[in-house]
Amino acid sequence: MKALLSALFAVMIGLTFAGSTYAAEEKKMDAPAAAPAAPAATPAVGGEMKKEEKKAEKKVKKAKKAKEEKKEEKK
């Protein structure tokens, strides 16, 4: 009888621990699903940054070309 009660007690503790762990994991799974609105806006901002970077690169290329043309004109 003592062994049976010990085994039952161990199973109950195990189920309690497993249940609380499962609930914590479920909360973690729910949290990202509730907040996709913020990351959805991020790619648009990232896209704008890429556009700005491309514009900056074009300006740099134009400046380099202008400098090269000035050097050629001086020769």
Side-chain angles (χ1 to χ4, degrees):
M1 185 72 173
K2 190 175 183 179
L4 181 63
L5 289 175
S6 296
L8 184 60
F9 184 71
V11 169
M12 293 301 290
I13 290 176
L15 289 175
T16 303
F17 179 73
S20 64
T21 304
Y22 178 75
E25 287 179 10
E26 193 171 309
K27 285 182 182 178
K28 287 180 185 177
M29 296 295 281
D30 289 341
T42 304
V45 173
E48 290 175 7
M49 286 298 293
K50 287 183 181 179
K51 289 178 184 177
E52 291 176 9
E53 289 174 1
K54 287 180 182 179
K55 287 180 183 178
E57 287 177 6
K58 286 181 181 179
K59 286 181 182 178
V60 170
K61 287 180 182 179
K62 285 183 181 179
K64 285 181 181 179
K65 284 183 181 180
K67 285 181 182 179
E68 289 176 5
E69 288 177 359
K70 287 181 182 179
K71 284 182 181 179
E72 289 178 6
E73 287 177 1
K74 288 182 180 180
K75 288 182 182 181

